[in-house]
Structure formats: structure tokens, C-alpha cells
Amino acid sequence: MKNTAIQRIETPIVPIGEARTFSVIGDPGCEGLGTAMMRVYANALETARADDFTFVVGDLVPVGSNQHYQSVCQLTDAVAGNDVYVLRGNHDTGAYERYFGLRNYALAGAHFTLVVLDNAMRTFEQAGLDLLAQVLADPACRCVAIAFHVPLPNRFTGNAVSEAEFARLRAVYAPHKQKVQYFICGHVHSCFADTVDGIPFICTGGGGAMIEDVSAQIKAADVDHHIVRFTWERGALRHAFVTLQQTRYTRESHDGILHDQLADTVRQELYAHLRYLSLAERAQKRGYARLANLLRALAESEYRHARSFFAILDEPAPFAQELAAYIPAETFEHAQLYPMLRDYAAKKRMPLSEQAYRDAAAAEQVHAQLLQEARQMDAFDQNEIYICGACGYVMTSAEQGSRCPVCGAPLQQFIPFKAQ
């Protein structure tokens, strides 16, 4: 089996010649191969195209079935612009060797060597440690980066191999420690830089999976999806985190026909989502609880479809910037657009449209106010929000009354949203 971009490793030492740059992508597929996550991975592959090669530090797939390996290989081959090497992660089970070959190997170049060790099961394989000892003992090898999936013990997360397992690794590199310039790992869906045994230690898991909190110092809100670029400069390897906000995967959106079809599909899926939710409410009120549950489930499915198609076209800004960007739109709607359409409907004697725009404008004004408060993310303290089930008006717990101030719906019609 031969792939175009993904390199299937058949010999323990693979020459990479005069390579001076490579990028590392962490954990693209361990939470599923949905379009939203794969768009992040595609963006990472395109961002890394300028480097001599790309290295994926584990968890390409959620589980190691042929279906999932074929899917991720097909996407990688279609998008990547350079050779892609792979490390086994704890989710890369099953048929890993069939698609990617050896689990322990070294990429040996004129300037540096990247030694790839399998510790997906939280232990280093002896074959990998023996290979590391062989590489480090070679007088021609002067700069080594050691890559594996599960982190070494560090200051930021306890999700790591044991101290005893680290001791096995340390016993191998210790006689040649001066040659080891980096440890590189994934597994943790975030990023951080640390120093372990005096050696720079880089953890990256931001190539597709949802970013997670790591510690009090490293919160998901402060981390973007990213890659890590390594460059050989002035006789040493150096690294830089590159957020994927700086680049955009736009291949599909550049095709005019496909762009329009994707946008239309988003609208259709969201319309289906709304229809199912509306019908579910009617079913619930008629006592058909199971039918209502089915319709709500189908509505959720349609929303997820819409999100997948939207992810292909979306160009998200950094989180805080995007949050603030909604405020002008909400302000324009309640201050100008909806009053104008309300007045037009009144002039044309269209009372339902007049009412809908009037009621929505009242809610949009509260949207803008709450979003303005939310710009101070750490200080935002609204734990409960209530939405009127009849007209959509928004109230906080402090403002809550017995009826909706816009449409007069009773309290039991309000839908509570409480912070977890």
C-alpha cells in the first residue's frame, strides 16, 4: 500500500537529507473525524506545506478501523503539500502498521535527527529505546529531537507516563544528553513548553481535537488550534507555536459553485432544524413524548449537519475578537433594521410581521447589552439566563418577573439556561 503524502515506514532509519524545517501537528482525530475537526486538520496541513516535512504526533483517528484510517489518509493525501510522517497515539489502534508501518523509527538528516518512539500504551517499547541508543551513539549525529505521544512528567499536567517509565528513557539518552535538544509530545489537547531534565519539552495537541483545560495556568479559553514549527538555525533547532488563526483552509470556498452550494446547504439544514424543533413542541403539547423526543433528536442532527457545512466556509477570528464582533450586528438590528421593517410592515398593514420585528428588536437590545458585559470574560457573572418560549425575549435572573414584559407569556413559558 503506497500513499502520496503519508510515508509508510519500512526501515528503522529513514534519510531526510538536508531538511531544515518541519511542523508538528497534534491529535487531529481522536475525538472523531467530523468535518469541523477535519477542517482544523486540513488547515494545519496547509499551514505546514512550506516545511520540508510534516510530523503528526499521534491520534490521527478516534479508533483504528480501516474506515477511519482510509478517511484520514485520503484527506491527508489530498491536502498535504509535503511528506507526512506519523507517530502512533493511544487512539491509533488496530490496523496502524498496515497504513503507517513501523512504530519506532528515526528520520536522520544532515542537520538533525528526529527519533520517533511509541509510548501510546504509556510504556516505551524496548525496540524504540534500542534504536534511540543506536542513533545517539553515532558520532555523525549531533542534534536529536525525541518524539512520543504521551507526555513525560512535567509541571503542567499529571496526564503523563510514570516516573519509572521516564527513568527507562533517561537511562538511554543520559550518556549522550548533550545531543538531545528537544522532547516533543501530543496527547494533551492544548499546548505548553516546559523543561524536563534540563531539555526543552514541547507538548502540542491542537491539530483538530477540541482544546481542553490543562491547569490553572493553561485554560482552553487562552489556547487556539495550532501547529509547532521547528527550524534549524545557526547550528540548533528552534521552535515556534503557530496558531491556525493566522491562516485559513479555503480550498472549497474558492470554488464559486461549491461555495454557493455549501452556503445554501447550511440554510437548508438550519431550516430543517427549526422545523423539527417546532414540530417537537407541537408533539409534546399533544402528549406524544416519544415522538417529541425523536423530533428533537432529528433537529439536533440537522444542526450538526449545518455546523459541518458551515465549518468549511467559516473564517473564525480569535475567540474574544469574535465575541465582540457580534455586538455591532445586534445593535444594528435592534436600533435600525428591525424598527425599519416593523414600520414598513405597519404601513402595509401586516400586523404579524410588525409584531415579530417589534418583539425581536426588544430581545436583540438585551443581546447586545449582555454581549457587551461578556467582553470582560473573567468578570462576567450572569449564571442564569431565561428565554421567553413565546417571543424569545431574554431576561437574567435578577430581572425575572412573573410574566414576559414584551409578550406577556407566563413564567412557566420561560426556558432556563444555567451555567455548568
Side-chain angles (χ1 to χ4, degrees):
M1 165 182 285
K2 181 174 177 56
N3 295 305
T4 303
I6 290 181
Q7 304 299 297
R8 188 177 187 280
I9 306 302
E10 297 180 347
T11 59
I13 298 181
V14 180
I16 55 172
E18 295 289 331
R20 289 176 174 268
T21 64
F22 66 97
S23 280
V24 179
I25 301 173
D27 297 65
C30 61
E31 292 184 337
L33 303 184
T35 305
M37 292 180 182
M38 288 297 95
R39 192 267 172 91
V40 177
Y41 178 49
N43 195 359
L45 289 170
E46 284 211 330
T47 304
R49 287 171 66 96
D51 295 309
D52 292 314
F53 65 89
T54 298
F55 179 61
V56 182
V57 68
D59 284 356
L60 275 85
V61 295
V63 64
S65 69
N66 284 322
Q67 171 192 344
H68 293 131
Y69 282 132
Q70 289 170 4
S71 178
V72 78
C73 286
Q74 181 180 9
L75 186 150
T76 304
D77 289 339
V79 176
N82 53 11
D83 291 343
V84 178
Y85 297 93
V86 172
L87 163 67
R88 189 172 79 120
N90 58 296
H91 286 267
D92 301 322
T93 57
Y96 176 89
E97 288 85 357
R98 178 186 173 195
Y99 289 87
F100 308 113
L102 299 178
R103 300 199 298 260
N104 299 278
Y105 60 94
L107 303 178
H111 304 293
F112 61 84
T113 297
L114 178 64
V115 180
V116 178
L117 302 180
D118 184 351
N119 76 343
M121 300 298 109
R122 296 183 178 269
T123 61
F124 291 99
E125 296 183 340
Q126 190 59 48
L129 296 178
D130 292 344
L131 175 63
L132 175 61
Q134 174 187 341
V135 169
L136 289 172
D138 184 351
C141 175
R142 296 184 297 276
C143 173
V144 174
I146 305 174
F148 36 82
H149 184 63
V150 181
L152 301 177
N154 62 85
R155 292 183 298 146
F156 296 108
T157 177
N159 190 355
V161 302
S162 67
E163 289 286 354
E165 199 59 31
F166 176 38
R168 292 181 62 224
L169 175 67
R170 185 168 50 217
V172 175
Y173 73 72
H176 308 281
K177 182 179 174 181
Q178 74 281 2
K179 294 185 177 183
V180 181
Q181 289 199 4
Y182 276 102
F183 296 126
I184 304 168
C185 77
H187 191 55
V188 178
H189 300 167
S190 186
C191 66
F192 60 84
D194 200 355
T195 301
V196 173
D197 194 22
I199 299 169
F201 174 52
I202 305 299
C203 182
T204 172
M210 294 293 292
I211 302 297
E212 62 188 9
D213 289 342
V214 175
S215 66
Q217 300 96 335
I218 305 174
K219 295 291 188 180
D222 301 322
V223 176
D224 292 317
H225 285 107
H226 62 278
I227 64 174
V228 185
R229 174 162 288 136
F230 288 84
T231 306
W232 175 262
E233 297 177 0
R234 299 186 296 276
L237 275 175
R238 306 179 191 280
H239 79 278
F241 289 97
V242 180
T243 69
L244 299 180
Q245 299 292 349
Q246 299 172 13
T247 58
R248 296 285 185 271
Y249 172 78
T250 57
R251 183 175 301 190
E252 276 91 342
S253 60
H254 281 166
D255 184 296
I257 294 175
L258 189 55
H259 179 280
D260 291 346
Q261 289 299 315
L262 286 166
D264 188 54
T265 303
V266 171
R267 290 189 287 268
Q268 292 175 18
E269 295 285 351
L270 287 177
Y271 189 58
H273 167 75
L274 177 60
R275 288 189 314 183
Y276 278 129
L277 283 181
S278 179
L279 195 57
E281 288 185 1
R282 293 169 61 188
Q284 191 73 43
K285 290 178 180 179
R286 285 163 174 75
Y288 299 118
R290 294 186 181 88
L291 181 55
N293 185 61
L294 166 64
L295 294 167
R296 284 192 294 267
L298 294 179
E300 183 67 19
S301 175
E302 299 292 2
Y303 164 72
R304 299 294 166 177
H305 294 163
R307 190 183 71 162
S308 292
F309 291 109
F310 179 68
I312 301 172
L313 302 175
D314 190 24
E315 296 186 6
F319 181 77
Q321 180 180 332
E322 186 151 351
L323 183 67
Y326 284 100
I327 297 172
E330 299 282 2
T331 302
F332 172 71
E333 287 176 351
H334 82 75
Q336 299 182 51
L337 179 61
Y338 286 2
M340 179 183 67
L341 294 171
R342 175 201 63 201
D343 294 345
Y344 176 83
K347 181 179 179 180
K348 294 293 184 177
R349 299 178 64 82
M350 305 291 182
L352 292 180
S353 296
E354 178 188 0
Q355 176 183 332
Y357 280 116
R358 182 187 66 234
D359 293 355
E364 302 293 354
Q365 183 173 7
V366 182
H367 294 182
Q369 293 169 352
L370 290 172
L371 285 169
Q372 187 66 45
E373 293 178 26
R375 293 187 66 178
Q376 303 298 322
M377 292 181 288
D378 292 334
F380 186 70
D381 60 357
Q382 296 289 357
N383 289 318
E384 298 180 357
I385 306 292
Y386 293 84
I387 305 299
C388 177
C391 74
Y393 185 68
V394 183
M395 297 200 308
T396 65
S397 57
E399 301 167 331
Q400 186 181 353
S402 61
R403 288 187 177 274
C404 174
V406 173
C407 73
L411 178 62
Q412 57 264 34
Q413 288 273 26
F414 275 74
I415 304 166
F417 291 81
K418 299 184 179 183
Q420 299 298 316

